[in-house]
């Protein structure tokens, strides 16, 4: 266990004094629950949650999505933006009941949805995969920069997260999901190995606390880590006794 302790100290030390002082604008927004909608609809639900909890212009774009219930509004998003051909997967639409929507197609859907309100900045997307501790540290700084800038522009960014398991001596992704970041520290000290966050999971529309951090160098994930012990997303795909973790693979936002 001794080799692990310095890394744990490195992860925990920068958190002291860090406050979640940068937050989504619309704190009273009733977040959409994908469980009240259609299967595999975390992506469309996150679009509604990100736009709806953003600043006034983003809220105005969200208000143009018709529907008087979570299910109806999710269906409207799918109908309006999810039924075009996928950019990355042949012979299928951006969103389908089996498999939902992938990261690239959701970014395109987000950019089309922001055009419902004139003047909103274009949507961007970024993956945070890394190999090695130094590269992971650079990705952590880049992720904080992007997430901070998006919140400052009024758009709570959408995070692409994955449950990884340690199987056959390597990390394997067993479940993909999307959540919406709603708070983080505005400033993070140079060289920090982590920073705290708050996010909303569309599965149940629940708010969670967590930490975005670099991967353990002893057994590194291929991307940044989202440590949130109370979130069980993808746990059904974990076999008994398997090491597992949530990875932050990418983000969609305005930066």
């Amino acid at each position: 266990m001794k080799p692990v302790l310095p890394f744990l100290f490195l992860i925990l030390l920068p958190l002291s004094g860090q406050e979640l002082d940068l937050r989504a604008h619309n704190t009273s927004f009733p977040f959409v629950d994908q469980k009240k909608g259609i299967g595999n609809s975390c992506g469309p639900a996150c679009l509604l949650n990100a736009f709806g909890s953003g600043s006034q212009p983003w809220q105005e774009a969200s208000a143009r999505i018709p529907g008087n219930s979570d299910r109806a509004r999710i269906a409207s998003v799918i109908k309006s933006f999810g039924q075009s051909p996928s950019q990355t997967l042949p012979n299928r639409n951006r969103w389908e009941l089996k498999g939902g929507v992938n990261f690239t197609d959701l970014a395109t859907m987000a950019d089309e949805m922001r055009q419902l309100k004139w003047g909103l900045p274009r949507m961007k997307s970024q993956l945070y995969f890394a190999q090695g501790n130094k590269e992971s540290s650079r990705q952590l700084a880049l992720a904080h920069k992007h997430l901070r800038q998006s919140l400052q522009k009024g758009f709570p960014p959408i995070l692409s997260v994955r449950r990884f398991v340690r199987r056959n001596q390597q990390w394997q992704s067993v479940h993909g999901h999307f959540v919406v970041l709603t708070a983080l520290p505005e400033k993070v000290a140079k060289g920090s190995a982590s920073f705290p966050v708050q996010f909303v999971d569309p599965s149940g529309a629940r708010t969670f606390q967590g930490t975005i951090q670099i991967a353990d160098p002893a057994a590194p994930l291929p991307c940044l880590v989202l440590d949130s012990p109370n979130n069980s997303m993808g746990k059904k795909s974990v076999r008994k006794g398997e090491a597992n973790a949530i990875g932050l693979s990418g983000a969609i936002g305005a930066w």
Side-chain angles (χ1 to χ4, degrees), residues 158-177:
I158 298 171
L159 307 183
S160 173
V161 295
R162 292 188 168 275
R163 176 73 65 176
F164 286 88
V165 299
R166 190 73 177 171
R167 188 175 294 170
N168 298 325
Q169 297 184 324
Q170 62 182 354
W171 288 107
Q172 298 181 21
S173 172
V174 294
H175 183 81
H177 194 44

Side-chain angles (χ1 to χ4, degrees), residues 48-61:
L48 291 167
N49 287 338
F51 278 78
S53 62
S55 60
Q56 188 62 36
W58 299 99
Q59 293 176 46
E60 291 175 11

Side-chain angles (χ1 to χ4, degrees), residues 51 58 61 110-117 120-123:
F51 278 78
W58 299 99
D111 195 56
E112 290 180 0
M113 186 167 166
R114 64 97 188 169
Q115 295 176 49
L116 295 175
K117 169 66 177 177
L120 288 176
R122 292 187 64 178
M123 290 283 96

Side-chain angles (χ1 to χ4, degrees), residues 135-220:
E135 186 177 349
S136 187
S137 296
R138 287 196 295 264
Q139 293 285 44
L140 184 77
L142 181 63
H144 179 265
K145 176 183 177 182
H146 288 162
L147 304 180
R148 183 195 76 236
Q149 289 177 341
S150 192
L151 274 177
Q152 288 173 334
K153 290 184 178 182
F155 185 83
I158 298 171
L159 307 183
S160 173
V161 295
R162 292 188 168 275
R163 176 73 65 176
F164 286 88
V165 299
R166 190 73 177 171
R167 188 175 294 170
N168 298 325
Q169 297 184 324
Q170 62 182 354
W171 288 107
Q172 298 181 21
S173 172
V174 294
H175 183 81
H177 194 44
F178 294 104
V179 300
V180 173
L181 183 95
T182 53
L184 85 169
E186 186 171 7
K187 295 182 180 180
V188 174
K190 185 177 181 180
S192 294
S194 60
F195 58 87
V197 294
Q198 177 180 286
F199 64 94
V200 172
D201 190 328
S203 181
R206 295 179 59 195
T207 298
F208 291 89
Q209 306 294 322
T211 305
I212 295 177
Q213 58 194 45
I214 63 174
D216 184 343

Side-chain angles (χ1 to χ4, degrees), residues 10-155:
L10 182 66
I11 289 294
L12 294 174
L13 182 61
L15 294 180
S16 59
Q18 288 190 333
E19 297 182 3
L20 301 175
D21 52 357
L22 187 58
R23 294 179 175 272
H25 284 67
N26 188 5
T27 57
S28 62
F29 178 71
F31 287 96
V32 170
D33 184 353
Q34 73 177 95
K35 291 183 177 180
K36 298 178 180 179
I38 305 165
N40 284 321
S41 61
C42 60
C46 280
L47 289 177
L48 291 167
N49 287 338
F51 278 78
S53 62
S55 60
Q56 188 62 36
W58 299 99
Q59 293 176 46
E60 291 175 11
S62 178
R64 293 176 178 265
I65 302 296
N68 295 318
S69 66
D70 288 358
R71 182 180 179 85
R73 300 197 76 216
I74 289 172
S76 292
V77 169
I78 292 171
K79 183 178 179 181
S80 297
F81 310 110
Q83 297 303 290
S84 299
S86 170
Q87 289 182 263
T88 58
L89 299 174
N91 303 316
R92 63 157 282 168
N93 292 333
R94 293 172 181 166
W95 181 92
E96 290 191 354
L97 185 59
K98 184 178 181 180
V101 60
N102 67 30
F103 179 74
T104 300
D105 288 327
L106 186 64
T108 301
M109 291 169 63
D111 195 56
E112 290 180 0
M113 186 167 166
R114 64 97 188 169
Q115 295 176 49
L116 295 175
K117 169 66 177 177
W118 184 85
L120 288 176
R122 292 187 64 178
M123 290 283 96
K124 297 181 180 179
S125 61
Q126 178 70 46
L127 295 173
Y128 301 116
F129 285 87
Q131 292 183 346
N133 191 51
K134 184 178 291 186
E135 186 177 349
S136 187
S137 296
R138 287 196 295 264
Q139 293 285 44
L140 184 77
L142 181 63
H144 179 265
K145 176 183 177 182
H146 288 162
L147 304 180
R148 183 195 76 236
Q149 289 177 341
S150 192
L151 274 177
Q152 288 173 334
K153 290 184 178 182
F155 185 83

